[in-house]
Amino acid sequence: MTYLDRTDAGKKLAHALGDYRGKDALVLALPRGGVIVGYEVARELEADLDVLIVRKLGSPYNPEFGIGAIASGGARYLDAKAIAALHVPQAYIERVEQQERAELERRSRTYRGERPQPQIDGRLVILVDDGIATGGTARAAVRALRQANPARLVLAVPVAPPSTVAALAGEVDEIVCPEMPLGFSAIGQWYQYFDQVSDEEVIDLLERHALQRQNSGRE
């Protein structure tokens, strides 16, 4: 076991990201498990914390095959090559995006309440999850985020296979991944405790961090 739990992983990942401490970074965590890791990273780096909710836009012929993705804050990515190769109609794209946007906004309200979306344009953004396996979700998140023009985009995860890290290297400005084991089969394999994370835990951590940031600003 590499990590005791997600809290332990977050503290160790924050140490690896130490150069970004006090740099006014925005930590965007992928719910749900990534929020526990992201909370520790944001706390240690004195950074803002929010969630990035990603919804895949599935092909009309195979919903599991993504032709694009949308993310919190209006970020949008379309795979032009896949759309052209599959001859996906524009009307279909608009329809499926509308459906997924409604679900994204519902989830965003659940986690974020009435808090405004964070600014991404021109900012140092650190995208955090509790690990990466194949990289599909991370790639969709990164490509969608790129449309929002961050000044620097860092992908940070506690564990991922070397092949996935190499495949994603060209998508971001930097990847920080302390553990890249060769014998990788599943993210949970590298945690002693890898329990399910509830919506309530996510909401509690986001509110707790926001209060901490508010109080630190008064000091």
Side-chain angles (χ1 to χ4, degrees), residues 97-114:
E97 181 177 351
Q98 184 178 24
Q99 293 170 349
E100 294 299 342
R101 183 72 63 186
E103 177 60 17
L104 185 150
E105 290 174 357
R106 185 192 69 80
R107 294 190 182 200
S108 182
R109 286 193 300 272
T110 297
Y111 294 138
R112 307 179 66 262
E114 298 301 320

Side-chain angles (χ1 to χ4, degrees), residues 58-203:
S59 160
Y61 315 109
N62 177 8
E64 293 303 312
F65 180 81
I67 58 170
I70 56 173
S72 304
R76 177 180 186 255
Y77 159 73
L78 294 177
D79 188 333
K81 290 184 178 179
I83 290 168
L86 295 172
H87 305 287
V88 181
Q90 181 63 31
Y92 170 82
I93 296 172
E94 293 174 359
R95 183 170 67 254
V96 73
E97 181 177 351
Q98 184 178 24
Q99 293 170 349
E100 294 299 342
R101 183 72 63 186
E103 177 60 17
L104 185 150
E105 290 174 357
R106 185 192 69 80
R107 294 190 182 200
S108 182
R109 286 193 300 272
T110 297
Y111 294 138
R112 307 179 66 262
E114 298 301 320
R115 284 180 289 117
Q117 292 284 349
Q119 177 183 338
I120 295 172
D121 186 11
R123 196 163 185 194
L124 163 62
V125 175
I126 303 175
L127 179 65
V128 174
D129 204 355
D130 54 14
I132 298 176
T134 63
T137 300
R139 182 174 286 105
V142 164
R143 292 183 177 181
L145 266 179
R146 279 294 189 196
Q147 308 304 309
N149 300 312
R152 182 172 180 82
L153 181 55
V154 179
L155 176 60
V157 293
V159 62
S163 58
T164 300
V165 172
L168 288 168
E171 304 269 355
V172 294
D173 297 303
E174 181 183 1
I175 294 182
V176 176
C177 183
E179 297 292 338
M180 293 182 281
L182 293 174
F184 191 99
S185 60
I187 296 170
Q189 173 187 2
W190 306 99
Y191 287 82
Q192 184 173 346
Y193 298 103
F194 197 68
D195 299 335
Q196 290 289 329
V197 179
S198 68
D199 286 343
E200 289 73 20
E201 287 178 87
V202 171
I203 294 166

